[in-house]
Amino acid sequence: MVGPGGDGGSSRQDSSASAALAAAALLSGSAGAAAGGWLPGAAAAAAGAGPWLRLVVGSGPAAGRRYEASSQAQELVIGRSPACWASIPDQEISGRHACITWSAPLGCWQLADAGSLNGTTLNGSLISRPGRQPGCPAALKHGDRLELGSVTRAVVECSTQQPQQQQQQQQQQ
């Protein structure tokens, strides 16, 4: 889903992702997403939507695009396919290149290469496995740098706070 600061284009993916986020917000009682359809990460967290993730593409064919999700998402697929959560039209990116998931037991977002041909690096370390085999999940944190193939670079912005942790922190301030 492309948010403010993205390319501004509309696509079936953007509208379906917006609808999914709005539906999730309605189910969780978050009126902000229902009203606007798009919640910036901090607003999503403040609205009680739980942990959020934003992928900001800095270079490559999708430079400037931002993709957002909350922990209600099951699997966020990054790839060249238009069906992907983060559809990036880069010939060095596989149709289904990498996946991001929320791990409730670990309380963090995780990235795994999905068996891509040209690999995925996290903060300069290759997380891909040989032979186009899916990789093991690696924990993500705010500020992590991703390389998908040799052209596309992105930065992860995320929160891992659960709503009750946020409320406790606000009360302490």
Side-chain angles (χ1 to χ4, degrees), residues 111-115 127-129 133-138:
L111 171 73
D113 184 86
I127 63 167
S128 306
R129 291 179 49 197
Q133 296 297 311
C136 296

PDB file of all heavy atoms in Angstrom, residues 111-115 127-129 133-138:
ATOM      1  N   LEU A 111      11.829 -11.086   8.846  1.00  0.00           N
ATOM      2  CA  LEU A 111      12.026 -11.116   7.404  1.00  0.00           C
ATOM      3  C   LEU A 111      12.666 -12.443   7.020  1.00  0.00           C
ATOM      4  O   LEU A 111      13.604 -12.896   7.686  1.00  0.00           O
ATOM      5  CB  LEU A 111      12.954  -9.974   6.975  1.00  0.00           C
ATOM      6  CG  LEU A 111      13.433  -9.987   5.528  1.00  0.00           C
ATOM      7  CD1 LEU A 111      12.296  -9.608   4.582  1.00  0.00           C
ATOM      8  CD2 LEU A 111      14.608  -9.032   5.358  1.00  0.00           C
ATOM      9  N   ALA A 112      12.176 -13.057   5.956  1.00  0.00           N
ATOM     10  CA  ALA A 112      12.788 -14.283   5.422  1.00  0.00           C
ATOM     11  C   ALA A 112      12.830 -14.186   3.905  1.00  0.00           C
ATOM     12  O   ALA A 112      11.863 -13.727   3.280  1.00  0.00           O
ATOM     13  CB  ALA A 112      11.992 -15.522   5.837  1.00  0.00           C
ATOM     14  N   ASP A 113      13.939 -14.587   3.322  1.00  0.00           N
ATOM     15  CA  ASP A 113      14.015 -14.692   1.877  1.00  0.00           C
ATOM     16  C   ASP A 113      13.105 -15.855   1.470  1.00  0.00           C
ATOM     17  O   ASP A 113      13.059 -16.877   2.150  1.00  0.00           O
ATOM     18  CB  ASP A 113      15.462 -14.958   1.440  1.00  0.00           C
ATOM     19  CG  ASP A 113      15.601 -14.969  -0.060  1.00  0.00           C
ATOM     20  OD1 ASP A 113      15.785 -13.881  -0.639  1.00  0.00           O
ATOM     21  OD2 ASP A 113      15.506 -16.058  -0.654  1.00  0.00           O
ATOM     22  N   ALA A 114      12.373 -15.691   0.378  1.00  0.00           N
ATOM     23  CA  ALA A 114      11.410 -16.711  -0.042  1.00  0.00           C
ATOM     24  C   ALA A 114      11.980 -17.661  -1.091  1.00  0.00           C
ATOM     25  O   ALA A 114      11.231 -18.310  -1.811  1.00  0.00           O
ATOM     26  CB  ALA A 114      10.155 -16.032  -0.573  1.00  0.00           C
ATOM     27  N   GLY A 115      13.310 -17.736  -1.169  1.00  0.00           N
ATOM     28  CA  GLY A 115      13.943 -18.586  -2.175  1.00  0.00           C
ATOM     29  C   GLY A 115      14.232 -17.797  -3.443  1.00  0.00           C
ATOM     30  O   GLY A 115      14.160 -18.326  -4.546  1.00  0.00           O
ATOM     31  N   ILE A 127      20.798 -13.052   3.926  1.00  0.00           N
ATOM     32  CA  ILE A 127      19.892 -13.936   4.669  1.00  0.00           C
ATOM     33  C   ILE A 127      19.301 -15.010   3.757  1.00  0.00           C
ATOM     34  O   ILE A 127      18.479 -15.799   4.186  1.00  0.00           O
ATOM     35  CB  ILE A 127      18.775 -13.162   5.403  1.00  0.00           C
ATOM     36  CG1 ILE A 127      17.873 -12.426   4.422  1.00  0.00           C
ATOM     37  CG2 ILE A 127      19.368 -12.208   6.435  1.00  0.00           C
ATOM     38  CD1 ILE A 127      16.584 -11.920   5.054  1.00  0.00           C
ATOM     39  N   SER A 128      19.712 -15.010   2.496  1.00  0.00           N
ATOM     40  CA  SER A 128      19.251 -16.006   1.531  1.00  0.00           C
ATOM     41  C   SER A 128      20.003 -17.313   1.736  1.00  0.00           C
ATOM     42  O   SER A 128      21.099 -17.325   2.284  1.00  0.00           O
ATOM     43  CB  SER A 128      19.504 -15.507   0.107  1.00  0.00           C
ATOM     44  OG  SER A 128      18.922 -14.245  -0.087  1.00  0.00           O
ATOM     45  N   ARG A 129      19.410 -18.404   1.264  1.00  0.00           N
ATOM     46  CA  ARG A 129      20.067 -19.709   1.306  1.00  0.00           C
ATOM     47  C   ARG A 129      20.381 -20.148  -0.114  1.00  0.00           C
ATOM     48  O   ARG A 129      19.688 -19.761  -1.048  1.00  0.00           O
ATOM     49  CB  ARG A 129      19.148 -20.731   1.981  1.00  0.00           C
ATOM     50  CG  ARG A 129      18.979 -20.451   3.469  1.00  0.00           C
ATOM     51  CD  ARG A 129      18.080 -21.417   4.171  1.00  0.00           C
ATOM     52  NE  ARG A 129      18.413 -22.795   3.883  1.00  0.00           N
ATOM     53  CZ  ARG A 129      17.589 -23.813   4.103  1.00  0.00           C
ATOM     54  NH1 ARG A 129      16.406 -23.597   4.613  1.00  0.00           N
ATOM     55  NH2 ARG A 129      17.951 -25.042   3.827  1.00  0.00           N
ATOM     56  N   GLN A 133      16.347 -21.939  -1.852  1.00  0.00           N
ATOM     57  CA  GLN A 133      15.582 -22.463  -0.720  1.00  0.00           C
ATOM     58  C   GLN A 133      15.144 -21.291   0.157  1.00  0.00           C
ATOM     59  O   GLN A 133      15.900 -20.342   0.343  1.00  0.00           O
ATOM     60  CB  GLN A 133      16.436 -23.414   0.118  1.00  0.00           C
ATOM     61  CG  GLN A 133      16.869 -24.655  -0.626  1.00  0.00           C
ATOM     62  CD  GLN A 133      15.674 -25.501  -1.039  1.00  0.00           C
ATOM     63  OE1 GLN A 133      14.798 -25.785  -0.242  1.00  0.00           O
ATOM     64  NE2 GLN A 133      15.638 -25.897  -2.292  1.00  0.00           N
ATOM     65  N   PRO A 134      13.936 -21.336   0.712  1.00  0.00           N
ATOM     66  CA  PRO A 134      13.516 -20.270   1.624  1.00  0.00           C
ATOM     67  C   PRO A 134      14.478 -20.148   2.805  1.00  0.00           C
ATOM     68  O   PRO A 134      14.967 -21.153   3.324  1.00  0.00           O
ATOM     69  CB  PRO A 134      12.129 -20.722   2.091  1.00  0.00           C
ATOM     70  CG  PRO A 134      11.653 -21.645   1.008  1.00  0.00           C
ATOM     71  CD  PRO A 134      12.895 -22.327   0.491  1.00  0.00           C
ATOM     72  N   GLY A 135      14.742 -18.927   3.212  1.00  0.00           N
ATOM     73  CA  GLY A 135      15.659 -18.679   4.319  1.00  0.00           C
ATOM     74  C   GLY A 135      14.968 -18.707   5.669  1.00  0.00           C
ATOM     75  O   GLY A 135      13.741 -18.740   5.769  1.00  0.00           O
ATOM     76  N   CYS A 136      15.772 -18.691   6.708  1.00  0.00           N
ATOM     77  CA  CYS A 136      15.256 -18.640   8.076  1.00  0.00           C
ATOM     78  C   CYS A 136      14.864 -17.201   8.417  1.00  0.00           C
ATOM     79  O   CYS A 136      15.515 -16.261   7.976  1.00  0.00           O
ATOM     80  CB  CYS A 136      16.321 -19.126   9.055  1.00  0.00           C
ATOM     81  SG  CYS A 136      16.759 -20.849   8.816  1.00  0.00           S
ATOM     82  N   PRO A 137      13.826 -17.018   9.214  1.00  0.00           N
ATOM     83  CA  PRO A 137      13.408 -15.663   9.580  1.00  0.00           C
ATOM     84  C   PRO A 137      14.475 -14.941  10.402  1.00  0.00           C
ATOM     85  O   PRO A 137      15.120 -15.541  11.265  1.00  0.00           O
ATOM     86  CB  PRO A 137      12.150 -15.888  10.430  1.00  0.00           C
ATOM     87  CG  PRO A 137      11.717 -17.288  10.149  1.00  0.00           C
ATOM     88  CD  PRO A 137      12.943 -18.041   9.759  1.00  0.00           C
ATOM     89  N   ALA A 138      14.646 -13.657  10.106  1.00  0.00           N
ATOM     90  CA  ALA A 138      15.561 -12.792  10.848  1.00  0.00           C
ATOM     91  C   ALA A 138      14.748 -11.653  11.445  1.00  0.00           C
ATOM     92  O   ALA A 138      13.890 -11.073  10.767  1.00  0.00           O
ATOM     93  CB  ALA A 138      16.636 -12.238   9.920  1.00  0.00           C
TER      94      ALA A 138
END
